Amino acid sequence: MATRFQIQRGKGDPNSYKGLGDCFRTIFHKEGLYGFYKGILPPILAETPKRAVKFFTFEQYKKLLSFTPLSPAVALSVAGLGSGLTEALVVNPFEVVKVSLQANRDSFKVQPSSFAQARTIINADGLGLRGLNKGLTSTLGRHGVFNMIYFGFYFNVKDAIPASQDPTLEFMRKFAIGLVSGTVSSCVNIPFDVAKSRIQGPQTVPGQIKYRSCFQTMGLVYREEGYLALYKGLIPKIMRLGPGGAIMLLVYEYVSAWLQKNW
């Protein structure tokens, strides 16, 4: 859903959606129920290694930064930045396939499979920065900025707010901080997300590359469509990563506590 908003090019775009409700209705009527699940396989395939890399590298960077003069508060954010940059290297090829599938407005039944789409991209443009790894800089920015705020905000705010002895209240405290963390991170990093979708999605004129690099794309979107265009797709993104980010942090914390206790 967020991808569709991010690749539309202002009010002059004939495929432009009027809002979230219009987007839901249009996709359902023109592409069917399965239209909401286009590009679902690449994220599923990437999800386990993505989360593993995210939290594992965060812990490793945090340990390394403990030997530096950085304050604990800053070290958490820097460790988050490092984990995001590492994560981006893993997920970017999957993102390229996902965006190209989600940009396709054909019926789900006639759409190519994820593997067929990946082969098409590789055969046409290779594995490099114009093929299966295009938009890498934007993906690095998206994940780096998100994780920097996500981890830094969560752990610093959690330490600043006293814990509760009541397990239910303690759960709600952590969930609320995680919810705000995921929401704030989404609001800050979305210009990188918009740039990524424009670079990895269909170009305005087939065969001509309009969106070439991260900051060039941000500047172009700003000049042609205005400042708010850099925040397209923010609502569906927050709906996904606000509560989703909170749940991930809770699982991470409880699993870490269990491992430390039993291993």
Side-chain angles (χ1 to χ4, degrees), residues 16 21 37 44-46 52 62 66 77 89 95 107 109 114 117 141 160 173 196-197 227 239 250:
S16 179
Y37 296 92
I44 288 175
L45 293 175
K62 191 169 66 172
S66 67
S77 294
L89 296 173
E95 287 290 321
S107 169
K109 294 180 179 178
S114 298
Q117 187 68 19
R173 181 184 78 98
K196 183 188 78 68
S197 294
Y227 180 76
M239 290 172 64
L250 285 170

Side-chain angles (χ1 to χ4, degrees), residues 42-62:
I44 288 175
L45 293 175
E47 196 63 24
T48 299
K50 173 184 175 180
R51 300 308 174 195
V53 169
K54 183 191 197 80
F55 290 105
F56 175 76
T57 56
F58 172 70
E59 285 295 329
Q60 303 314 305
Y61 287 128
K62 191 169 66 172

Side-chain angles (χ1 to χ4, degrees), residues 184-206:
V184 172
S185 302
S186 297
C187 292
V188 175
N189 88 326
I190 194 167
F192 290 97
D193 205 1
V194 172
K196 183 188 78 68
S197 294
R198 292 294 178 94
I199 294 168
Q200 295 176 347
Q203 299 289 314
T204 308
V205 179

Side-chain angles (χ1 to χ4, degrees), residues 53-100:
V53 169
K54 183 191 197 80
F55 290 105
F56 175 76
T57 56
F58 172 70
E59 285 295 329
Q60 303 314 305
Y61 287 128
K62 191 169 66 172
K63 290 176 183 177
L64 288 173
L65 290 167
S66 67
F67 298 104
T68 69
L70 292 175
S71 67
V74 174
L76 287 167
S77 294
V78 176
L81 174 63
S83 76
L85 295 176
T86 309
E87 177 187 21
L89 296 173
V90 175
V91 304
N92 193 63
F94 297 93
E95 287 290 321
V96 172
V97 177
K98 184 199 77 171
V99 170
S100 64

Side-chain angles (χ1 to χ4, degrees), residues 26-39:
T26 302
I27 291 175
F28 180 75
H29 288 307
K30 292 187 176 181
E31 303 169 43
L33 181 63
Y34 290 121
F36 295 109
Y37 296 92
K38 284 182 175 180

